[in-house]
Amino acid sequence: MGPPLLLACLLAPLCARGASPAQPGVTVLGSPQAWQQHEAPRRVKRAWVIPPISVSENHKRIPHLLVQIKSDKQQPGGVIYSIKGPGVDEEPLGIFSIDKFSGKVFLNAMLDREENDRFRLKAFALDLGGVTLEDPTDLEIIVVDQNDNRPLFRQDVFTGRVVEGAEPGTCVMTVDATDADDPDTDNAVVRYSILEQGAGGMFSINATTGEICTARPGLDRETMGVYNLTVQAADMSGDGLTTTAMAVIYLEDINDNPPEFTKEEFSMEVEEQAVGVDVGRVFVHDKDLSGSPNWLAKFTILEGDPEGAFAIRTDPHTNDGVLSVAKPLDHEVRDRFELTVSVQNERPLEPTAPASPRALATMRVRVRDVNEVPVFRENPRRISVLEGTPPGTPITTYTASDPDTRQLQTLTYMLLYDPADWLRLDPHTGTIRTKRELLHPSAFLQGGWYIALVLARDDAEPPLSATGTLSIEILELSPQHPQLARNWSISRFNVTHAVLAVLAELPEGLYSLPLLLRDSGTPPREQHQLLNVSVCHCGREGTCEDSVLAAATAGAGITLGALVIILGSSILLLVLVGLGAARVRGRRRALRKGLLQRSRDDLRDNILNYDEQGGGEEDQDAYDINQLRHPELFSPRVKPPLRRDAPISSATPLTPRKLPSGPSDIEDFINEGLEAADSDPSVPPYDTALIYDYEGSGSVASPLSSIVSSLTDEDQDYDYLTEWGPRFRRLADLYGQ
């Protein structure tokens, strides 16, 4: 049934047009006249024009007849048919073949549209001699698509990231799949869906585009940091073949959790005098991503360390707070510290994070006592000793102090370095005496100084020791005073003071000691100074019993001439002070008297005299207020000048009247003044323009009033008020044009 049906399909166009075998130029296959007609017009016959042939891919009945071709030019010996092109004699070979005598074209292999969606062949018709009977015609074979390909995702695992707390509708990523089937058919229309994403349904996918977005609020990295979604792609608009892939979504951390201490109190201890050592750690917990800036903590000491003896830093690996010693600690000064420490993140919390109080903890640090090295408070110790000081003379006591005041320890001393063997040291008290007479000059002196080293050692286990330097200045004694060195000694007490000691018992009296004062500058400066010392019997309070004699004779080193000068100067100063005070008192009395006198003359209570100081540099002609107090003293002796605003025929004003003698006469005084003013022709009426000052005819100033220049408002031009700003806008509206 196959060949007749194909032949009928080829003849269908002819039948549709109403063609018949008898029509000229038209040949119908199977008609005897078609093979015998040789005079037809020269054109391509309808039977030789082959329409495109469609064949489904994956056709399993092989060989399969596709079409039968016929030539209108039949020869007695027959026609030889052949085809050429891809699938025949070109790659891929052997797919199509033709029966050269019948013209039947067969499909010999299964087709795959995804490899070749169509084949374009050439068909030839030859006689037995190989002469071309017809022009080659096209034979196009179209491969019809079948849904034989599943959608394929571009990758097996898709990865996306989104910050925790993202709002619904926030897009994370897009998954996409491809289908090798014909894109113009439903075989390649892919739709996406999420098969599995765990509890919550936090994400959704766009079925057409494959875009995955957040569907609900509440993404919390600390609760679930990774979401694994199983996504599906199906062709035929979701009803065909399917495939799946994984979509992994990571939640990015934000700082929504503050650090918290693991406990409220931490205890630790450290040895005293240790600097830069770590004391201990405080532990915190932060739910944010470990190792991120949102997780990294920052510690602060708030209270308990006013001197800054401690420092705290953050261990970047563990996020612990490490407390260390910044300054030496002294157990004897303070043996316990209670520090209040706070913690927060390096980055500030997100505004969406829940509010929480600042995390605080208490760190209790105990300072452990250890044996400390003895300390010479004055090192080096500098003293001065006169040459020739006899052996056995105590020159100083050089001791050290043990910082371990809470430990029962004893210090002992020894001479570590005494090159001339001049000194003897008491091992318990630290008192240094001369062992032999000190000589000057000597080979052991360095610039007049003798250097010795003293060693102080405690009795702890193990013992610790310290070394102090003793610098002794050997003062060269003057030949006139050879006995002074045997009776007196002087030693340095501090930078500004020295200690003078008596070495032998001396009789009462006044002693003058020559001293040599020398500083430590470069070069050193020195000065000879005479010191007067009074030797007497001391009373119970430590003062000389004969104090008058001691003060008169000793004078604390001040001569009689100096005392006379000081006393005379004091007396002169007192005299000058007395004279000055008397003069000031006299001026005050005179001033008070003047004020009282003027107060008696002043009868009016509305003017008070507070003393006239003048108007300063600017006011050189102050107004004399006495004209108001005593007008009768200022009566005009000459004819006063006429006022410019008075009539020319006005008379001279009357002399000032006598003031009332009592309060009861004030009314009469006022009435008389009014009557005199009314009868005075030189006084203008109250409603006339008064001239308060006349500036002259050449004044550049404009008049203050327009009364003289104009009598009506119509002559005035107020348009300039509009230029004065918004404050004068109302006036401009009232008086403007």
Side-chain angles (χ1 to χ4, degrees), residues 53-66:
I53 301 172
S54 298
V55 59
S56 176
E57 65 173 334
N58 303 319
H59 198 284
K60 298 180 179 180
R61 297 178 61 182
I62 302 300
H64 173 64
L65 177 63
L66 297 179

Side-chain angles (χ1 to χ4, degrees), residues 642-663:
L642 294 178
R643 291 176 52 180
R644 295 181 182 272
D645 57 346
I648 300 177
S649 61
S650 61
T652 303
L654 299 177
T655 59
R657 297 172 294 111
K658 186 178 181 180
L659 296 177
S661 59

